[in-house]
Amino acid sequence: MIGRVRTSKKTVSSLVAVGALVLAGCGDDGPPEPQTTAEQFVDAINSGSADAAAALTTDPAAASAALAGLYDGLSASGTVTATPDFAVESASDEGGSVTLDATWRFSTTTDGTEEPDGEPKQWQYDTTATATETDQGWRINWDPAVLAPGLAADSTVRYISTDALVTPKVFDRTGAELMSQQVVTLVNVDSTADPAVVASYLTPIVPTITAQSIAADQAQSQGNSVTLVSLRQSDLDPIAAELTAVPGVTLAPQTRLLTTDRALASPALTGVADLWQTQLDDNKGWSIQSLKADGSVEQLAGVDASPAPDIATTLDSGLQIKAENALASLPQQSAIVALQPSTGNVLAVAQNSAADAEGPIALTGLYPPGSTFKTVTTSAALDAGIATPDTILPCPGTENIEGRQIPNDDNFDLGDVPLHTAFARSCNTTMGRLGVGLPADALQLTAQQYGLGVDYVTPGLTTVTGSVPVADTPAARVEAAIGQGQVTASPFGMALVASSIAGGSLKAPTLVSGQPGVADVTPAPVDAVVAEQVKTMMRETVTGGTATQLQDIPGLLGKTGTAEFGPNNEGAHGWFVGIQGDLAFAVFVAGGESSAPALEAAGRFLR
């Protein structure tokens, strides 16, 4: 007997070349003819060349058809990639006996790579064959069972995927249903549909769909059917019969994961939906079935489906809707992110329709944070010991600091005041001077203590917190100290800063209960004393500083921010970060020109 021989996958062109050698016979020092033929046979199967493999059998036509059917049956209509790995287990030149070791690997990934969970589905078995010397050289005696056990000329083999036994639901932090799989129906029209008639049914439901927009879609479709909208069942039911009767209209129902409350929407739910789909896929079953000529089915391999677990999120549905309503009236791109300081739980992630058009800006949009970054600058100065809350510092209306002319808002001048007053009144000149006196990496390290500039891998959530580069020059530190220059932050990042100050420690963000994010760096712990001092200053900001319009809200702490942007600083974003009990949040209004729109949105959110 000849020992186990593993073969490597080759291209079809190399198979042809080696096949020619097989036909010519092997030299005295080469391997026996049955082994060589078997090696080329399995190489052709592994390369996906049915014809090349079939040519090495005694019945090429039947073998080619059987191989093509096997490839097709195991590929599950293109949704699954089936990758063969055949090998010569053993071969004998006496009687031409050959044993083949076969493994089929199945993947739902588009490129056929290993499944995300690292556990590829596979079907493994051994088969036997014999080889015969013919006028064309040695050939595998054709028998479908050479390819798979039990395979016959009148049977086929197929891969079947079975859905998870239970479809998961998504719940909010109170246990209320947040999302579930529901039926939606696509409304499709072709070029023969009357736009005015179709619009008469759809416009009352979706005002943006009009006869003109339908006609435009039809014109662009070049005669093909076009989908106008997908409707929930409750929207479709009153008009279903009428729509179905309109010539050129077809309705196509399908299932989707949707929010239970249609009024609720959040960019955070995109990641939750992806996680839901992953759990659904991970709990599907699969089987390899042999279909007999008499219609009977035999299972050859597989795994039973299992119940997919529900997903418990940290989102607060009521708070989420309040955040969405607080932003709805703003024409500018706007966002609110709310966290729970004691846990790091994500409570709400909201943005308005203008922001939705740009993507998930609440979680990944990067902007200069302006004066909200003074929470970091003040913390760094307190930690470095260059000032205390009561240190008297100058707050001139404008000052040239390291070649950069720094003005206060409307050039207000407070003279010499304690640091806590300069903070509450948002003195740029005071903060610029403090920044100059800090080490080059002080702002970066302090920001990281609060989570800004830290990247997290968080189940169900894709975020970017921001960037605070080392400020190597005094001029760079002046810019950074007032949240300008190279400093950027996302609304999520500034909510994390507020949360870390509120709780006196940095808590990893969490969207799926029990699955906190993992940071790419480990910052130094927050100085709880410093955080408490900054909280006191944030309270003063509301009671006697730049956020007094919110002083009716009990126990509110905050910091306003206006951040210039553009080549010539022609525009300004508006910010407000706040703390109320075990709630920390950031409000962002792009192009708000001042903090006023953000303050107004914060008021609507909290009141």
Side-chain angles (χ1 to χ4, degrees):
M1 296 291 290
I2 297 172
R4 178 180 175 86
V5 178
R6 295 294 299 184
T7 63
S8 59
K9 296 181 180 179
K10 301 179 176 65
T11 62
V12 174
S13 60
S14 65
L15 287 173
V16 174
V18 179
L21 294 177
V22 174
L23 295 177
C26 295
D28 293 338
D29 296 331
E33 298 288 4
Q35 176 188 329
T36 305
T37 302
E39 289 176 352
Q40 301 313 308
F41 180 69
V42 299
D43 276 356
I45 293 175
N46 293 340
S47 299
S49 176
D51 291 342
L56 294 168
T57 71
T58 56
D59 191 343
S64 180
L67 276 163
L70 188 61
Y71 289 135
D72 291 343
L74 295 180
S75 294
S77 302
T79 60
V80 171
T81 300
T83 305
D85 182 11
F86 279 64
V88 179
E89 178 74 27
S90 62
S92 171
D93 57 352
E94 297 179 5
S97 176
V98 176
T99 300
L100 303 181
D101 176 19
T103 301
W104 289 85
R105 293 184 175 86
F106 305 96
S107 174
T108 56
T109 58
T110 55
D111 58 359
T113 55
E114 188 174 88
E115 294 289 332
D117 57 9
E119 298 179 3
K121 306 173 182 69
Q122 61 182 34
W123 177 32
Q124 190 169 11
Y125 54 85
D126 292 332
T127 64
T128 59
T130 58
T132 300
E133 189 170 13
T134 69
D135 293 341
Q136 290 79 34
W138 285 84
R139 292 291 182 268
I140 301 293
N141 288 316
W142 175 243
D143 181 350
V146 170
L147 299 178
L151 186 63
D154 58 355
S155 65
T156 58
V157 173
R158 67 183 181 184
Y159 175 100
I160 296 293
S161 177
T162 54
D163 290 336
L165 296 180
V166 176
T167 301
K169 293 182 178 180
V170 180
F171 297 95
D172 74 359
R173 67 193 300 251
T174 69
E177 187 178 275
L178 186 64
M179 305 178 79
S180 63
Q181 190 176 58
Q182 301 174 40
V183 174
V184 298
T185 300
L186 306 184
V187 179
N188 301 318
V189 298
D190 62 25
S191 58
T192 66
D194 186 327
V197 174
V198 176
S200 68
Y201 297 114
L202 296 183
T203 303
I205 302 171
V206 187
T208 56
I209 296 178
T210 63
Q212 292 76 17
S213 70
I214 295 172
D217 288 340
Q218 289 174 312
Q220 293 176 1
S221 69
Q222 298 179 339
N224 298 315
S225 178
V226 60
T227 298
L228 298 179
V229 68
S230 59
L231 297 178
R232 291 182 183 235
Q233 199 65 39
S234 58
D235 289 326
L236 177 67
D237 285 343
I239 60 172
E242 291 85 350
L243 268 180
T244 303
V246 177
V249 175
T250 56
L251 304 181
Q254 57 181 229
T255 57
R256 289 184 186 174
L257 181 67
L258 298 176
T259 55
T260 304
D261 184 343
R262 66 184 306 155
L264 191 148
S266 171
L269 296 179
T270 300
V272 173
D274 291 341
L275 187 62
W276 177 88
Q277 186 63 55
T278 297
Q279 295 200 170
L280 195 64
D281 292 341
D282 288 348
N283 288 276
K284 286 183 177 180
W286 63 278
S287 64
I288 307 299
Q289 298 178 344
S290 172
L291 280 69
K292 309 295 184 181
D294 61 2
S296 61
V297 176
E298 178 187 0
Q299 181 162 320
L300 304 177
V303 174
D304 292 337
S306 57
D310 293 328
I311 299 173
T313 74
T314 63
L315 292 171
D316 185 310
S317 297
L319 203 63
Q320 176 69 35
I321 291 177
K322 288 183 67 176
E324 292 173 16
N325 291 339
L327 301 173
S329 62
L330 289 169
Q332 306 98 330
Q333 299 167 28
S334 309
I336 293 177
V337 177
L339 307 175
Q340 185 177 40
S342 62
T343 61
N345 288 346
V346 178
L347 302 178
V349 179
Q351 54 185 49
N352 62 3
S353 57
D356 288 340
E358 293 297 317
I361 70 165
L363 298 172
T364 60
L366 293 178
Y367 311 91
S371 293
T372 59
F373 191 74
K374 291 172 183 174
T375 53
V376 174
T377 304
T378 301
S379 296
L382 294 170
D383 188 60
I386 64 174
T388 71
D390 295 321
T391 299
I392 303 300
L393 299 169
C395 175
T398 184
E399 184 178 5
N400 189 295
I401 308 174
E402 299 296 334
R404 168 75 161 90
Q405 193 66 34
I406 303 296
N408 290 331
D409 187 31
D410 291 331
N411 293 319
F412 72 82
D413 189 335
L414 299 183
D416 294 337
V417 294
L419 173 58
H420 63 82
T421 300
F423 179 96
R425 297 288 296 276
S426 202
C427 290
N428 289 334
T429 50
T430 305
M431 294 296 161
R433 277 294 174 194
L434 283 177
V436 172
L438 292 170
D441 61 352
L443 293 176
Q444 180 187 71
L445 296 177
T446 302
Q448 287 180 349
Q449 287 181 294
Y450 292 154
L452 188 61
V454 178
D455 283 329
Y456 288 93
V457 177
T458 307
L461 198 65
T462 299
T463 60
V464 180
T465 59
S467 175
V468 184
V470 171
D472 290 322
T473 66
R477 291 195 287 279
V478 171
E479 295 279 356
I482 58 174
Q484 299 280 174
Q486 300 300 309
V487 175
T488 59
S490 66
F492 174 81
M494 288 312 301
L496 199 56
V497 170
S499 178
S500 300
I501 293 171
S505 64
L506 172 60
K507 297 291 195 306
T510 302
L511 180 62
V512 178
S513 296
Q515 299 183 39
V518 177
D520 64 335
V521 298
T522 304
V526 172
D527 187 321
V529 173
V530 169
E532 196 63 33
Q533 291 172 332
V534 174
K535 284 171 62 178
T536 300
M537 297 184 203
M538 293 176 71
R539 178 59 182 161
E540 184 180 345
T541 302
V542 175
T543 59
T546 56
T548 53
Q549 69 185 75
L550 302 179
Q551 61 185 318
D552 64 298
I553 298 173
L556 179 64
L557 290 63
K559 183 69 189 81
T560 57
T562 302
E564 297 176 338
F565 69 93
N568 299 307
N569 295 328
E570 67 273 13
H573 301 311
W575 289 88
F576 180 73
V577 296
I579 299 168
Q580 187 186 41
D582 202 19
L583 173 70
F585 61 94
V587 182
F588 170 74
V589 180
E593 298 306 321
S594 73
S595 61
L599 282 165
E600 293 165 1
R604 292 191 293 270
F605 175 54
L606 296 173
R607 292 189 179 106

